Amino acid sequence: MDFASYIRDIEDFPKPGVNFKDITPLLNNPEALNKACDVLCGFASHMHVDKVVGVDSRGFIFAPLIASRIGAGFVPVRKSGKLPYTTISESYELEYGSETLEIHTDAIRKGEKVLVHDDVLATGGTASAVCKLVEKLGGEVVQCNFLIELTFLNGAKKLNGYQIEALLQY
Ligand SMILES: O=P(O)(O)OC[C@H]1O[C@H](OP(=O)(O)OP(=O)(O)O)[C@H](O)[C@@H]1O
Ligand SMILES: Nc1ncnc2[nH]cnc12
């Protein structure tokens, strides 16, 4: 399937100079949505995964679908102030700003195998902050998987040592 034909480029969003990859046309098409989910699950078919961590907010679209299909639990990592129970946090820089992410302290147990999912890997700031949160709780990141990797922003370098998979690379 030509997944790239379902990704729309939006120039200068959310800031001048950023070419935003809009995934909503892919989500809007039932066949593309289902097949994209198949591929993302396929990336993890050879490994045991206890938890799939999805990143607020676009990471929440596929992460629970992947978790449900592969028989893992889903863990939301949220922007600060949104999670109600005890949290730990990490601050980071991303392609167009800076943010703080939080995770519930009881979301991952020591030794659990964790798949980190997000829609886009750009500079890698977000995903590397998520990996730090998982590891602070004693989890082992077995894969970071994305719908889209923007290779020219070198996010993979920031995730050095982690297995990275992406459905589409630009
Ligand atoms: O690799 P990076 O440079 O860190 O960028 C990638 C992150 O940027 C986007 O999230 P954003 O913070 O825009 O939030 P959203 O999902 O709520 O739109 C995207 O969904 C990733 O989480
Ligand atoms: N260029 C981009 N398009 C969509 N999401 C992003 N997150 C960070 N950079 C992005």
Side-chain angles (χ1 to χ4, degrees):
M1 168 162 244
D2 180 15
F3 290 110
S5 66
Y6 295 94
I7 305 297
R8 177 163 58 191
D9 280 14
I10 310 283
E11 290 301 331
D12 299 323
F13 182 88
K15 285 185 176 167
V18 177
N19 176 20
F20 191 87
K21 297 291 181 193
D22 177 18
I23 64 168
T24 61
L26 183 145
L27 303 177
N28 199 269
N29 181 282
E31 197 192 354
L33 175 64
N34 197 45
K35 292 218 160 121
C37 199
D38 287 346
V39 176
L40 292 171
C41 292
F43 288 147
S45 60
H46 59 289
M47 51 176 60
H48 174 77
V49 175
D50 297 300
K51 301 280 165 66
V52 177
V53 170
V55 190
D56 190 353
S57 61
R58 281 175 273 147
F60 291 173
I61 298 165
F62 283 101
L65 292 174
I66 298 168
S68 168
R69 284 213 202 165
I70 69 176
F74 165 64
V75 175
V77 162
R78 297 216 61 183
K79 291 179 180 150
S80 59
K82 299 287 187 182
L83 286 173
Y85 183 63
T86 322
T87 59
I88 54 167
S89 64
E90 273 291 328
S91 296
Y92 61 98
E93 308 286 327
L94 70 154
E95 188 186 5
Y96 38 68
S98 57
E99 265 297 350
T100 300
L101 286 175
E102 297 181 341
I103 191 169
H104 274 154
T105 50
D106 64 350
I108 289 162
R109 290 195 220 99
K110 269 202 177 63
E112 282 192 323
K113 301 209 180 291
V114 176
L115 187 157
V116 171
H117 168 78
D118 205 353
D119 66 330
V120 174
L121 171 62
T123 63
T126 307
S128 103
V130 174
C131 291
K132 280 184 195 148
L133 289 172
V134 169
E135 287 165 358
K136 274 187 189 171
L137 295 179
E140 181 195 345
V141 177
V142 292
Q143 183 178 101
C144 296
N145 102 23
F146 306 91
L147 213 53
I148 294 172
E149 178 184 0
L150 303 178
T151 56
F152 56 92
L153 291 174
N154 294 318
K157 254 191 199 156
K158 214 171 237 165
L159 295 178
N160 189 25
Y162 296 106
Q163 183 185 124
I164 299 172
E165 299 288 352
L167 184 66
L168 282 170
Q169 290 184 319
Y170 292 89

